[in-house]
Amino acid sequence: MLTAVKLWRKDGLLIKDGLWDRIAVLISGLCVVHCVSTIAFVAILSSAGGMLLDPLIHEVGLGIAIALGMFSLGRGVLDHGYIMPVAIGSLGLGMMIGAITIGHDGGHGSDEVFYTMIGVGLLALAHDLNYRATH
């Protein structure tokens, strides 16, 4: 059983092993669920499509992914010294950034979802590699 002593350092930072990587993988999974559910909702309920395809949702989600990726993958490099997770994570984030620039207009929505899902998969792989390297 984990105690408060094992979870928190004196400066108040959470230090539970792999916590940030597991959170990032969870958020990556939620992103995939969001992408797939958006396609399903648009196909079934076109009125829900306007809300779920709002660019603000994607921009905020991408901002969170970048911040969480920089924090957890960067911390991992400082812990274990391997650069591969950061390289793969950067590629995944780059694909996600590129996909958001495609947009939904002109029938390219499926391309955006495809490239976003590849980027999310690469980012999740990077967090998994980071977690494995730390343990």
Side-chain angles (χ1 to χ4, degrees), residues 6 12 21 26 39 54-55 74 80 82 90 94 96-97 106 113 115 127:
K6 291 182 182 178
D21 289 312
L26 172 69
I39 295 295
D54 185 5
H80 53 68
Y82 298 117
S90 298
M96 291 166 62
I97 291 168
V113 171
Y115 290 118
H127 284 293

Side-chain angles (χ1 to χ4, degrees), residues 30-102:
L30 290 174
C31 181
V32 170
V33 169
H34 163 75
C35 291
V36 172
S37 68
T38 299
I39 295 295
F41 279 130
V42 170
I44 295 169
L45 303 169
S46 61
S47 62
M51 180 181 70
L52 293 174
L53 293 175
D54 185 5
L56 183 62
I57 291 175
H58 297 116
E59 292 164 3
V60 168
L62 184 60
I64 292 169
I66 290 170
L68 194 56
M70 286 174 50
F71 177 75
S72 64
L73 294 173
R75 184 193 49 93
V77 168
L78 295 175
D79 288 348
H80 53 68
Y82 298 117
I83 196 77
M84 184 61 73
V86 172
I88 293 174
S90 298
L91 177 63
L93 285 170
M95 289 194 76
M96 291 166 62
I97 291 168
I100 206 169
T101 63
I102 294 173

Side-chain angles (χ1 to χ4, degrees), residues 1 4 8 28 35 58 61 65 67-69 81 90 97-98 104 106-107 111 118 121 128:
M1 187 166 123
W8 298 94
S28 296
C35 291
H58 297 116
L68 194 56
S90 298
I97 291 168
H104 301 295
D111 291 342
I118 290 175
D128 183 59

